[in-house]
Amino acid sequence: MAITIVDVEDVLAQRPRPLTLAALQALNPARQPYRAFLLQPSGVIEANDVRVGHADARLGHALCSGFVAAAVQAHADLVVAPEYCVPWTVVEEIIAGQHRPPVGALWILGCESISPAEIQSLAQRCNAGNQCVFHHEPLDPRQVAQRRYLDTLLYVFWAKDANGQEVLFLLAQFKTVACRDYRDIEQTSLCVGRAIYAFNR
């Protein structure tokens, strides 16, 4: 399957209600430094043909919810969590407004696995609620029928609408190549994407 590099600015401009990207501090080529928050958690990971994520869901949620809360408190400009780390319950908190990045910040969150049906439902609910916008590339129907889950890198940032109003944007990028392991977990269970997103062209 061919991989395509897609400009985030084009994704925003092609929305039914076009948006523009708010300037991102971490990508500003100035001498002024920016603050980054990076998470490298310890703990037990559950990985099988049904899901990949924290073996202890309560502990994983507390860790990642606390991480993004601390990032907000510190006004971090760049926030990064690794693959299969952030529970979708924390993403739900972001959508609900419990955690919001400062304008100009970029959050890059490696999320726990999620089924195709669940991410489509989440996107529909998010986009219908007028609290934020959720975008992902179209899913391949064959993969949806044959595979169990997606490995999602979630970009969270602010955009602006035609009236200059700030809009929180959640952009889901799916893993494009399955990893090999002795049990072929991703090879047999992972829906892969085709799009890789690039900021500031």
Side-chain angles (χ1 to χ4, degrees):
M1 193 181 314
I3 295 171
T4 306
I5 297 176
V6 180
D7 288 323
V8 171
E9 290 87 340
D10 291 342
V11 172
L12 297 173
Q14 293 165 9
R15 297 289 305 173
R17 294 180 180 168
L19 301 169
T20 57
L21 180 64
L24 299 173
Q25 292 298 323
L27 299 181
N28 179 10
R31 292 178 62 87
Q32 184 175 352
Y34 63 86
R35 173 169 287 189
F37 252 49
L38 312 175
L39 177 63
Q40 184 59 58
S42 59
V44 179
I45 294 294
E46 176 185 11
N48 52 49
D49 63 351
V50 177
R51 72 177 295 268
V52 181
H54 294 275
D56 186 331
R58 286 191 313 149
L59 183 62
H61 177 90
L63 171 72
C64 294
S65 185
F67 170 67
V68 294
V72 172
Q73 187 77 21
H75 288 270
D77 300 305
L78 180 65
V79 175
V80 182
E83 183 180 27
Y84 290 128
C85 181
V86 177
W88 288 94
T89 52
V90 174
V91 176
E92 294 274 10
E93 291 179 348
I94 294 168
I95 292 169
Q98 186 171 336
H99 311 293
R100 290 287 169 95
V103 175
L106 176 61
W107 289 4
I108 307 170
L109 308 177
C111 296
E112 291 185 329
S113 65
I114 187 169
S115 74
E118 287 173 324
I119 201 165
Q120 288 172 321
S121 174
L122 177 63
Q124 288 173 353
R125 284 188 286 114
C126 182
N127 292 332
N130 295 322
Q131 294 175 300
C132 56
V133 174
F134 194 109
H135 177 88
H136 63 79
E137 68 177 280
L139 298 174
D140 175 16
R142 178 177 175 272
Q143 287 196 74
V144 169
Q146 295 180 357
R147 305 298 174 93
R148 298 288 185 93
Y149 53 73
L150 296 148
D151 179 2
T152 307
L153 185 65
L154 190 67
Y155 297 102
V156 184
F157 56 91
W158 290 95
K160 293 186 178 181
D161 65 16
N163 298 319
Q165 295 294 314
E166 292 160 350
V167 178
L168 188 67
F169 203 91
L170 287 79
L171 176 60
Q173 176 178 293
F174 303 136
K175 189 171 187 175
T176 56
V177 179
C179 290
R180 297 301 300 262
D181 66 86
Y182 75 99
R183 292 176 55 203
D184 279 340
I185 290 173
E186 283 193 352
Q187 287 287 325
T188 58
S189 300
L190 182 70
C191 294
V192 297
R194 292 180 300 166
I196 295 176
Y197 296 102
F199 288 83
N200 286 13
R201 306 200 185 279

